Each structure stands twice: as structure tokens, then as C-alpha cells.
Amino acid sequence: MDDIKANLEIRPVTLDYLDQFNDLLAYVFQVTSKEVSESGYEEGELERAKRPVLEKSDVIGWFHDDQLISQLAVYPCQVNIHGRTFNMGGLTGVGTYPEFAGHGLMHDLIKLALERMRAHKQWISYLYPYSIPFYRKKGWEIMSDHLTFDVKDTQLPKPTPVSGHVERHESDHPDVRATYDRFAARNHGAMIRNQLNWDEYWRWENEEERTAAVYYDAQGVPQGFCIYWIAQEVFHIKEMVYITQEARVGLWNFISAHFSMVEHVRGNIYKNEPLHFLLDDGDIYQTIKPYYMARIVDVAEFLKVYPFAETSAPLHFVVTDPLAEWNNATFGLWWDEAGQLQLTDRPVGEEVRLDIQTLTTMLMSYRRPSYLARIDRIQASRKAIKQLENLIPMDEPYFSDYF
């Protein structure tokens, strides 16, 4: 055993350690009081705002005597995976003081966190990576993208007649939340937000400076919204959500109506769906970067409830996992006469060899089986790859939250 670990203890981080929890986060992520103030928080308010997260999350840490030196939190969430609701363990609050780094403390905490997620029936986990290579080694893989765009005022779309209208509201208006709920229920990967999730959504934003433009159809039903603010002749879009294409057009009509007020429209898209194809003048500036990562916590339990697109001839996965030993196994899939998936530990049908990272990104539909096979992330026959292409739904993930 590492000599340092002999003097340390892993235990739950309770509310008694709220100050130490916040201090460690602030040190690791170098959050200054100026940044906190600019986000709209008064002194002490951020610490109080984090209290519900600590109350509701599963937080564990290494202690040296009574000093918290390394920690992580598992944030209880629900997400939509191809139309089915999954409990998701959101890994956050990860940090170790530098003088205790290099002794495997975080490795042990993550391993324990996976065991606890499994016990809580959180079959999948998301996280925002401060280091993609670090989390890949722990079994997570990229599952969503964050796109940004910059549209000049001269490139804004010409107004197109729609039957509905836009109304401006406070950003926490009930119609915003109700519309997001409907959107999340239809969009694979999305967070199904409760009040705590909404609080985290605004954590580093000054909510009072944001406005919601809500599109209502001819029957007065909200079908989309845009959270925005205007500063220094730039129309900033935090997020645009729409359930119908009519709502998308109506919201862009609203944005274009600011033509005389702004020189640029800059915003975010949380799906690999570039904006340029939808504009008349698509010669715009866009960026794309990885956003969130995911990992399957328990392969057997995840597969039992995963909504495959169709039935198939039998096949089996041979999975390797660097931390969760229960996933180092063979998972055979076959469908009975009623079309119900049956799971076995026998190697039935075609073989598919892959690691937990690849299995996750494939079942999340971030990357297709044929592509993963082409880059040697999957070892399988062409017949098996074709089966997987038919089995796995096509919808790409959408995820716009941050925790």
C-alpha cells in the first residue's frame, strides 16, 4: 500500500464539510471571487447555492485527519436515451490538492463511485472532462459535441411568414420549462431537468440578464425558445430549443428583427448539426469541440433496458473495462419469439470485441459501428457490423447542461 494512503481515510463528505468541499473546488479550478461576482453571486451566495448539490449528491473523499484532500460527487440525474429514461450518475466536483497528487487517490475514488452508481441503479454516467485522456483511461468516452457559430448581420435569414408569434419572457418562465420538458422527451441524450438541474444550468450565468424568446404556434402552444442577451452589438444565444421547424423559423425571424441593433449573432449548438446548411448565406464561422463524455456503468443492466431499433440474429459482445471488473465479460444477445431481448453470458452468434469506451459511444450513437470498426476500435466481422448498424438507433445525442 502507498505510504501516504496509510495515513488517509475514504469516507462520505457530509454537509459538515461544505466549506472544505467548496475550498477544494475553488482551488483546483481556480475560481476567483471576481468570477463569482461577475456571475451574479453576492458574497457567500455561491456556497449556499452549492449546499443542495451536496445534500442530494453522493459525495466521497479522502481525508487526512479531518482535512478533505481529494473528492468527487455523483450528481443524481435522469437522461433520455433513445426515448427511454435512464438514471444517470453525473460525475462532478472532482479534485485533489496538488501535494497529494500522483498517489492514485482519484483512481480509488472513481472506482468506488462506479460501485455506488451501480448500487443506485445508475447504469450510465456523464461528465464534463477537464482532461479527455484522463477520463478515457477510466472508461469514459466522448458522447456529445458543442458547436459555436458567428453570423454577421448581413447573413441573417430573410423573414419567412409563419402562423405563430414570439413573446419575450423571464428566463425561468413556466412556458420555457414546459417546452424544454417536451424537447428533452424527444431528444436522445438530453437531461430531464428537475429544479436542481435548472439551478445548475444557471450556476455560472447571471440569469437576470438573460431573456427568453418563446415561439407560440397558431393555437398558442409554445413550440420553442431562445435564451439570449444583447451586449456590445452582439446578439448572444445561450441555447435555442425547438420542437417544430416552424418554431425554428419563427425564432430566427425574431433574431433577424434585431438587424439594425446588432452586428453579429453568436451562439451555441449542442448537437453535431451545423447551422450553415440552414442559412441562405452559409459562409459563416463555426467551431466544433467535444463536450460531454459518458460511460456505461453496468453493461448487463444497461443492455437489458436499452431500446434497440429492431430485433436481430444473435450476437455477443466481449467487453474490457479498466475499472469496473463486472463489465469484463461476455454479453450474449438474442431475441425470443415475442421479440424480447434475452441476455446470456454465452458467446451466441457473431462476436464483437470492444472496450467499454467504444461500446458507450456506439450505443449513444455518437459514432456509428462501421466507423468504429474502420478505425480499429471494434473487432468484428462485416456481418456483425451490419447487424449493429441495424440494431442501434440513428439519433445523435443532444446535451446542453453543465454540472
Side-chain angles (χ1 to χ4, degrees):
M1 187 179 189
D2 193 304
D3 288 342
I4 282 214
K5 289 185 184 176
N7 298 312
L8 304 178
E9 177 188 11
I10 289 183
R11 63 176 192 259
V13 180
T14 64
L15 280 173
D16 294 336
Y17 297 95
L18 177 61
D19 289 343
Q20 291 193 38
F21 175 82
N22 287 321
D23 288 346
L24 179 48
L25 277 186
Y27 186 91
V28 170
F29 295 103
Q30 291 298 294
V31 178
T32 66
S33 57
K34 180 174 182 288
E35 289 172 316
V36 171
S37 176
E38 288 175 350
S39 297
Y41 289 98
E42 296 178 2
E43 185 177 353
E45 189 179 1
L46 180 61
E47 287 76 8
R48 291 192 296 274
K50 274 293 184 184
R51 183 184 180 95
V53 177
L54 199 62
E55 286 178 329
K56 295 182 183 299
S57 296
D58 189 10
V59 189
I60 50 177
W62 280 100
F63 287 81
H64 182 250
D65 294 329
D66 210 36
Q67 178 65 39
L68 179 63
I69 61 165
S70 181
Q71 69 184 25
L72 61 73
V74 178
Y75 186 44
C77 307
Q78 289 190 315
V79 292
N80 170 3
I81 296 182
H82 295 302
R84 187 160 295 173
T85 300
F86 280 70
N87 290 329
M88 182 270 283
L91 196 65
T92 185
V94 176
T96 302
Y97 282 118
E99 61 268 32
F100 292 98
H103 297 281
L105 302 185
M106 190 51 63
H107 178 91
D108 293 345
L109 286 178
I110 291 175
K111 190 172 171 53
L112 179 58
L114 288 168
E115 293 172 1
R116 293 168 77 105
M117 286 185 222
R118 190 184 187 209
H120 294 146
K121 299 184 178 181
Q122 296 165 326
W123 309 137
I124 191 162
S125 171
Y126 287 11
L127 62 80
Y128 180 79
Y130 69 81
S131 166
I132 288 175
F134 175 84
Y135 285 111
R136 271 186 169 150
K137 289 178 182 176
K138 307 301 182 190
W140 276 261
E141 186 51 275
I142 299 165
M143 52 98 19
S144 73
D145 292 324
H146 175 202
L147 284 73
T148 64
F149 60 84
D150 188 327
V151 179
K152 292 181 286 190
D153 55 355
T154 54
Q155 297 173 310
L156 287 169
K158 300 292 187 292
T160 302
V162 290
S163 59
H165 68 283
V166 169
E167 294 180 14
R168 289 183 294 116
H169 295 297
E170 298 291 326
S171 56
D172 63 349
H173 191 277
D175 285 349
V176 171
R177 299 197 175 193
T179 304
Y180 177 81
D181 288 346
R182 291 169 57 213
F183 173 85
R186 298 177 185 211
N187 280 267
H188 161 59
M191 179 86 86
I192 299 169
R193 293 180 191 149
N194 57 27
Q195 183 59 50
L196 188 62
N197 301 142
W198 276 107
D199 290 343
E200 284 295 287
Y201 179 79
W202 294 111
R203 181 71 65 207
W204 297 105
E205 299 271 357
N206 191 338
E207 186 178 0
E208 295 176 358
E209 295 179 2
R210 308 292 181 257
T211 301
V214 180
Y215 180 83
Y216 296 86
D217 65 17
Q219 287 71 47
V221 178
Q223 299 289 0
F225 65 80
C226 172
I227 305 290
Y228 74 95
W229 75 101
I230 300 172
Q232 297 179 329
E233 299 186 317
V234 176
F235 189 105
H236 296 272
I237 299 174
K238 175 176 171 64
E239 182 176 19
M240 183 187 291
V241 160
Y242 47 87
I243 295 167
T244 65
Q245 291 302 306
E246 177 189 299
R248 175 181 65 80
V249 173
L251 289 169
W252 274 104
N253 283 350
F254 172 79
I255 295 166
S256 295
H258 292 76
F259 176 84
S260 62
M261 299 169 54
V262 301
E263 293 184 354
H264 292 265
V265 174
R266 294 174 183 155
N268 304 292
I269 298 174
Y270 293 94
K271 190 173 185 175
N272 192 355
E273 193 175 76
L275 177 65
H276 67 270
F277 191 74
L278 299 173
L279 299 176
D280 291 335
D281 182 356
D283 186 17
I284 64 173
Y285 180 77
Q286 296 178 101
T287 68
I288 180 170
K289 62 181 295 186
Y291 190 47
Y292 260 66
M293 300 180 81
R295 100 147 5 245
I296 296 170
V297 173
D298 188 306
V299 172
E301 297 298 337
F302 186 83
L303 290 174
K304 285 177 186 176
V305 289
Y306 181 81
F308 287 101
E310 58 181 54
T311 60
S312 165
L315 79 161
H316 66 278
F317 296 117
V318 180
V319 180
T320 57
D321 190 315
L323 270 98
E325 63 274 3
W326 55 85
N327 289 333
N328 286 305
T330 295
F331 303 90
L333 285 68
W334 60 279
W335 284 261
D336 62 23
E337 292 181 357
Q340 296 299 307
L341 173 67
Q342 303 296 325
L343 210 61
T344 175
D345 58 4
R346 294 183 293 108
V348 296
E350 293 286 327
E351 180 176 275
V352 180
R353 287 186 171 269
L354 72 182
D355 56 30
I356 192 70
Q357 298 93 324
T358 304
L359 181 65
T360 301
T361 199
M362 179 177 72
L363 293 181
M364 288 298 292
S365 299
Y366 180 75
R367 289 293 179 260
R368 299 302 300 174
S370 54
Y371 172 77
L372 293 167
R374 191 161 65 246
I375 63 172
D376 295 328
R377 290 283 295 266
I378 295 176
Q379 285 72 53
S381 67
R382 292 180 67 180
K383 179 180 178 183
I385 296 301
K386 187 173 182 180
Q387 281 181 250
L388 290 172
E389 285 287 353
N390 293 331
L391 275 171
I392 298 171
M394 295 291 291
D395 293 333
E396 292 185 359
Y398 178 100
F399 192 75
S400 60
D401 287 68
Y402 178 81
F403 51 79

